[in-house]
Amino acid sequence: IRIASTETNSIQSLENSLDGQLKVIYGDFFRLDPLVTGPVKPPAMCSDKLFETMGVAAVPWRADVPVKVFGILPQKKERNILWRLLFALYECGSIYRCGRVELNIFISEKEYKVLTAKPGDARAYQALTVLWQVGCEIQLLHMEPWSSFVTNLKHGGLAVPKSMWLPNDHLCLVRLTPQQNLFTGGLKPTNSSTFIFMVKQCLVRPKSRLTDRLNSWSLDSDGKLLRELEIPKNAATRDLYPEDYRRLFEALQNSNMFTETWFHDEALESIRNIN
């Protein structure tokens, strides 16, 4: 068993009593691979250094899961961390350089509802939904009421993230296992940033028609591509299933439409700004 943790005192004493069965590594998993230049200081650390210390070697993407991670997302940075993990997943960067790392993480119920939303849900179905559902198998392992946790607020209340539109009464243990077939079609780590940009831009206005969005990019102006994919001409962007977005992206890749327009350059610029 190997644990990366910032709470090392009690765990360190446990390591000393287990005759090598437990290895403690000081660090913060959610500060892996910081976007900085120069030496990285603990608790931040580089994932390649972490896996080297753990003795974990990279495996092919379609191989079994090489590492399982268990943790709790910091509530104030929950959405940012989910996006950062998502970029790492699609680009096979950071922890995903060694293969299909499995995440078992506690997240708020409102974010779990977003990750598992269905097409047409105006409040929950977002770009984050589409991209995580295309990229991973999502399993709910457990739901625990917020009242079960001790709070550190001075007035004694629960430190529960506010949510106006989605239920948020529980902390959810969710398993995110990358799909084995994620990169078996036209989607690849080298073009995944374009796919992410396409999905994000389509769902900026979820009520808008997909046809209008494609026309604004000078893509599929005659609707031929949508007809071939059997996507209704009047379909709103929030009505498409995650796999529809993947099929659309791969069809556009095969047609070379991305390279014939300004779309590709704008996608790269947008991703740089996000990172």
Side-chain angles (χ1 to χ4, degrees), residues 58-103:
V59 299
W61 185 260
R62 291 181 63 83
D64 290 337
V65 170
V67 176
K68 296 183 180 182
V69 176
F70 293 81
I72 302 176
L73 262 62
Q75 292 300 305
K76 290 184 178 180
K77 300 179 180 179
E78 194 173 28
R79 177 58 68 96
N80 288 343
I81 291 174
L82 285 171
W83 269 112
R84 190 172 180 195
L85 288 169
L86 192 67
F87 276 101
L89 168 67
Y90 277 90
E91 295 174 353
C92 290
S94 188
I95 60 172
Y96 297 103
R97 280 196 292 265
C98 74
R100 295 186 305 116
V101 171
E102 177 189 286
L103 300 180

Side-chain angles (χ1 to χ4, degrees), residues 30-201:
F30 298 114
R31 293 180 64 184
L32 285 177
D33 303 312
L35 300 174
V36 297
T37 57
V40 176
K41 297 181 180 180
M45 64 189 310
C46 296
S47 56
D48 54 354
K49 180 65 175 177
L50 172 63
F51 290 137
E52 179 184 343
T53 304
M54 294 172 59
V56 176
V59 299
W61 185 260
R62 291 181 63 83
D64 290 337
V65 170
V67 176
K68 296 183 180 182
V69 176
F70 293 81
I72 302 176
L73 262 62
Q75 292 300 305
K76 290 184 178 180
K77 300 179 180 179
E78 194 173 28
R79 177 58 68 96
N80 288 343
I81 291 174
L82 285 171
W83 269 112
R84 190 172 180 195
L85 288 169
L86 192 67
F87 276 101
L89 168 67
Y90 277 90
E91 295 174 353
C92 290
S94 188
I95 60 172
Y96 297 103
R97 280 196 292 265
C98 74
R100 295 186 305 116
V101 171
E102 177 189 286
L103 300 180
N104 298 272
I105 52 177
F106 280 100
I107 62 176
S108 65
E109 184 177 4
K110 67 182 178 67
E111 292 297 353
Y112 168 70
K113 293 295 186 183
V114 169
L115 295 189
T116 57
K118 301 298 183 185
D121 188 333
R123 295 174 177 175
Y125 197 68
Q126 304 170 19
L128 201 66
T129 312
V130 170
L131 294 167
W132 273 111
Q133 288 187 23
V134 169
C136 286
E137 178 185 356
I138 304 172
Q139 296 173 273
L140 176 64
L141 303 180
H142 182 68
M143 296 180 71
E144 188 68 25
W146 284 106
S147 56
S148 298
F149 301 93
V150 176
T151 177
N152 59 355
L153 294 184
K154 293 181 179 179
H155 57 72
L158 282 171
V160 180
K162 295 181 179 179
S163 176
M164 293 182 61
W165 306 112
L166 297 172
N168 195 34
D169 301 319
H170 300 82
L171 195 61
C172 300
L173 177 58
V174 179
R175 174 176 294 158
L176 301 170
T177 308
Q179 303 281 7
Q180 278 189 320
N181 65 350
L182 182 58
F183 301 116
T184 55
L187 180 61
K188 304 181 185 303
T190 52
N191 63 25
S192 61
S193 59
T194 308
F195 175 61
I196 292 173
F197 174 79
M198 185 192 80
V199 173
K200 283 176 62 67
Q201 291 301 306

Side-chain angles (χ1 to χ4, degrees), residues 10 23 142 193 208 223 226 233 237 242 256 261-262:
S10 59
K23 182 174 180 59
H142 182 68
S193 59
S208 64
L226 292 187
K233 181 179 180 180
T237 57
N256 295 319
T261 68
W262 48 264

Side-chain angles (χ1 to χ4, degrees), residues 7-47:
E7 304 295 333
T8 58
N9 292 335
S10 59
I11 301 178
Q12 192 71 58
S13 62
L14 182 62
E15 176 188 23
N16 297 336
S17 65
L18 287 177
D19 299 324
Q21 297 180 63
L22 175 70
K23 182 174 180 59
V24 176
I25 303 171
Y26 174 64
D28 185 344
F29 177 81
F30 298 114
R31 293 180 64 184
L32 285 177
D33 303 312
L35 300 174
V36 297
T37 57
V40 176
K41 297 181 180 180
M45 64 189 310
C46 296
S47 56

